[in-house]
Amino acid sequence: MRRLLPLLIAGLLAQGCAQNGDASTDAAGADGVRLLVAERIHTSDPSRPQAGAMAWDADGRIVEVGSAEDLRSNWPGAEVVDLGDAVVVPGLIDSHGHLMSYGFSLMSADLAGALDKAEVISRLQAFAADLPEGAWLQGRGWDQNLWPEREFPTAADLDEAFPDRPVWLVRVDGHAGWGNSEALRRAEAVEGARPLAGDWHPEGARIERVDGQASGVFVGGRARALVERAIPEQDEALREQALERALAAAVSMGLTGVHDMGVSRADLALFRRFADEGRLPLRVAAYAAGDGDAFADLCSNGLYTHDGGRLWMHGIKLFADGALGSRGAALKEEYSDDPGNHGLLAYEPAAYEDIVRRAHECGVQVTTHAIGDRGNRAVLDAYANVLGDSAGPGHRWRIEHAQIVSVEDIPRFFALDVIASMQPTHATSDMGWAGDRVGQERLVGAYAWRSMMDAGVRLALGSDFPVESADPRLGLYAAVTRQDRDGQPPGGWLPEQRMTAAEALEGFTAGSAYATRSEGEIGRLAPGLRADFVVLGEDPLQVPAAQLDALTVRATWVDGEAVYEVR
């Protein structure tokens, strides 16, 4: 996350510059058409994979793609945007992110990459220096797998440094939280003492305990909520600030679209206000947060689409299990490094299938977080039961993450036409300990992008920000190399699952567009589609794979207008 701060600042400044504009790029030609000329345009359109020029009308729709010579001749009155040696690709779409969480993560203590608890404490102390006295100290990104002991922390680890201020820290995967004793005391004041003592656990969640008392770590959403309900609600001004920061950072990295996984009624109202006011610089495909208020609205009022074309909610996002790093992913066999633990299913199968069936009856697209092999199988079983004979390309149902999948279940994705929405940087973040969790045999179906593609499964690629960096360049790099940014391990982790640069780019463009039924609007650069594109300083299909994470984003355009530029 620290690497994103310079980009965030640049994004905020340059976005303002882009909105002010200048005569060379912001005034359309006499016939209302703009003509872009570049060294190379990768279109993701099979009928014309490359071009040298592209023209779009005043509504931001592409009218022609071809050679610079032909388009200059065909559109003599067009205002020309000459990008010189730049390379243009379709707008990058993150198929799995969390805008509000991302924005708040930019406003809380960044614990990503901390190598031990002492570093966590040091970062928290530095961040707390600017907080009002008594305010909750919140942070995100800790990962015990990076620490020497590789064990969950406790409240006591925070108490000496913070005896009176409540501290609440969300794990890197977002599926566990760690609080100090003051945070637990405040939780007891809200929930009562019983939930934090004894051997009780919320459904589909776990409270880590020592001698029958909550130790300070809460695994799973329902367990985290026991503490988080004690945290004062964010006011609307703070929520607006968080969204502004998230959007500015996203477009600075070349994102023209985000599939926002887990949006409440209040979140959608804020997104809608931004869209109404022309403050939404990218497209947001919002997915209702589980069986909650936003899903109820979809069933009562129908699918939601904003008139401006940059916001819609047509789907619901559910959970099947937890995360691998916190041993909450549901596995068929026990964890190799935690005998007796099979992880957590978020719902009993019948209850989960009931929600899926209601969504199907309402015409709502279903997508489900599933990480473990048992979790993925439970989702495939429920999808098969509900879809029945209607399983086919029309439903566009998805599984998010699909990290550990039994080899025999991979063909079921294809048979049910289920989209695998996967995040390449999860593999490179998890590779140091994933084998410890599941053993070598289950790694055959781990983060198996190539196996999915070879089976005919459609992929949509993303990051799961703020669990991972929102920067899609890191996703391209991870997909092609399966290495960390230091080039380790040599040849890549489970290298047989690597993707080509073209496949990875398609996963972040056309593949993500298909996953929201948007392939007729975005994801490619072709006549009739929206002029959403990214201007790069280098060609992602020609540079060495080791340089994909360092591509230069010169500009991000949405609807034929620059929403971010470096000047």
Side-chain angles (χ1 to χ4, degrees):
M1 197 65 69
R2 284 173 290 179
R3 292 193 298 268
L4 293 183
L5 291 178
L7 286 172
L8 172 62
I9 294 169
L12 288 167
L13 294 175
Q15 185 178 355
C17 294
Q19 290 171 344
N20 292 333
D22 62 35
S24 65
T25 58
D26 285 355
D31 54 8
V33 171
R34 278 178 169 173
L35 171 60
L36 177 148
V37 178
E39 171 96 1
R40 191 173 300 107
I41 300 174
H42 292 295
T43 68
S44 288
D45 180 7
S47 66
R48 181 188 278 273
Q50 287 189 19
M54 174 174 65
W56 62 89
D57 62 20
D59 294 327
R61 288 196 180 274
I62 299 169
V63 294
E64 189 174 2
V65 177
S67 69
E69 181 181 5
D70 287 348
L71 267 65
R72 286 182 187 274
S73 174
N74 294 344
W75 304 97
E79 178 259 320
V80 177
V81 181
D82 192 337
L83 298 179
D85 62 354
V87 175
V88 172
V89 299
L92 300 171
I93 306 167
D94 192 313
S95 70
H96 188 120
H98 307 275
L99 284 168
M100 294 305 299
S101 293
Y102 181 38
F104 281 117
S105 75
L106 295 172
M107 300 163 64
S108 62
D110 175 15
L111 307 179
L115 298 178
D116 54 33
K117 286 180 280 192
E119 186 176 352
V120 169
I121 297 295
S122 177
R123 293 195 198 181
L124 290 173
Q125 289 173 325
F127 188 83
D130 296 326
L131 291 179
E133 185 176 352
W136 281 74
L137 172 55
Q138 298 185 66
R140 180 170 184 137
W142 63 272
D143 183 357
Q144 83 283 0
N145 294 309
L146 302 179
W147 305 343
E149 65 274 19
R150 292 197 174 194
E151 295 178 354
F152 273 143
T154 67
D157 293 319
L158 298 169
D159 288 345
E160 182 177 352
F162 306 101
D164 302 315
R165 182 192 295 276
V167 180
W168 183 244
L169 312 172
V170 176
R171 191 180 181 278
V172 63
D173 58 19
H175 288 269
W178 169 26
N180 69 344
S181 294
E182 179 61 23
L184 270 59
R185 282 192 287 271
R186 298 198 184 193
E188 287 184 350
V190 174
E191 303 289 339
R194 186 194 68 81
L196 303 187
D199 58 2
W200 176 83
H201 299 278
E203 180 185 1
R206 183 174 69 252
I207 301 171
E208 295 292 320
R209 300 185 187 280
V210 175
D211 298 329
Q213 297 296 316
S215 69
V217 170
F218 297 74
V219 180
R222 295 186 183 96
R224 280 181 48 190
L226 297 173
V227 179
E228 291 173 354
R229 279 194 285 265
I231 301 174
E233 290 187 7
Q234 300 112 349
D235 61 28
E236 194 65 10
L238 192 64
R239 286 168 46 77
E240 181 173 335
Q241 184 182 1
L243 181 56
E244 285 178 339
R245 291 194 181 200
L247 293 170
V251 295
S252 77
M253 292 176 277
L255 289 175
T256 63
V258 170
H259 303 175
D260 198 319
M261 291 293 161
V263 175
S264 67
R265 177 187 288 162
D267 292 339
L268 184 63
L270 181 60
F271 295 170
R272 181 173 182 172
R273 180 157 64 83
F274 269 54
D276 288 342
E277 297 170 358
R279 299 167 62 194
L280 204 58
L282 48 66
R283 304 187 195 281
V284 179
Y287 284 76
D291 190 12
D293 52 12
F295 175 48
D297 291 345
L298 290 178
C299 284
S300 297
N301 307 324
L303 307 184
Y304 171 75
T305 303
H306 189 274
D307 290 341
R310 294 194 184 181
L311 173 65
W312 62 95
M313 180 182 279
H314 297 170
I316 180 176
K317 189 276 185 88
L318 299 168
F319 282 93
D321 62 357
L324 196 64
S326 47
R327 297 188 183 89
L331 301 180
K332 294 190 297 181
E333 304 295 333
E334 64 187 11
Y335 277 82
S336 298
D337 59 358
D338 191 11
N341 181 9
H342 288 74
L344 301 165
L345 284 174
Y347 297 94
E348 290 297 322
Y352 168 73
E353 186 172 316
D354 174 69
I355 301 172
V356 173
R357 193 172 301 279
R358 283 190 282 123
H360 187 44
E361 291 169 353
C362 294
V364 173
Q365 180 193 19
V366 179
T367 190
T368 308
H369 162 118
I371 288 182
D373 50 12
R374 181 164 61 115
N376 276 278
R377 179 165 293 180
V379 175
L380 291 169
D381 288 346
Y383 283 7
N385 291 342
V386 173
L387 288 170
D389 294 337
S390 63
H395 63 75
R396 308 289 172 94
W397 287 12
R398 309 162 45 155
I399 290 181
E400 305 301 311
H401 311 310
Q403 285 183 6
I404 309 295
V405 179
S406 297
V407 173
E408 61 269 24
D409 283 338
I410 291 176
R412 297 184 68 196
F413 280 75
F414 176 75
L416 293 168
D417 209 12
V418 171
I419 298 163
S421 171
M422 305 179 81
Q423 298 74 44
T425 50
H426 277 331
T428 51
S429 291
D430 299 356
M431 62 187 178
W433 48 263
D436 296 337
R437 290 287 190 274
V438 301
Q440 294 302 309
E441 290 186 5
R442 282 179 284 188
L443 288 180
V444 176
Y447 313 84
W449 317 319
R450 172 60 54 194
S451 295
M452 288 283 188
M453 290 188 293
D454 287 348
V457 180
R458 292 182 181 269
L459 297 189
L461 299 183
S463 68
D464 198 11
F465 66 76
V467 173
E468 302 282 352
S469 166
D471 193 335
R473 293 169 293 187
L474 303 187
L476 295 172
Y477 172 85
V480 176
T481 67
R482 289 183 76 102
Q483 295 175 321
D484 65 22
R485 297 186 74 184
D486 294 323
Q488 298 298 319
W493 181 62
L494 306 176
E496 66 276 7
Q497 297 295 344
R498 288 180 302 194
M499 304 172 71
T500 67
E503 290 167 340
L505 182 62
E506 182 174 356
F508 275 101
T509 56
S512 288
Y514 181 87
T516 56
R517 298 193 183 95
S518 303
E519 69 272 20
E521 291 284 309
I522 54 177
R524 297 173 294 125
L525 298 176
L529 275 64
R530 297 283 185 178
D532 293 3
F533 56 89
V534 184
V535 181
L536 299 173
E538 304 82 21
D539 190 332
L541 303 190
Q542 292 190 4
V543 300
Q547 297 177 17
L548 286 168
D549 60 340
L551 295 170
T552 305
V553 176
R554 294 185 179 178
T556 305
W557 292 61
V558 176
D559 283 325
E561 299 288 343
V563 295
Y564 168 83
E565 287 185 284
V566 175
R567 294 189 176 180

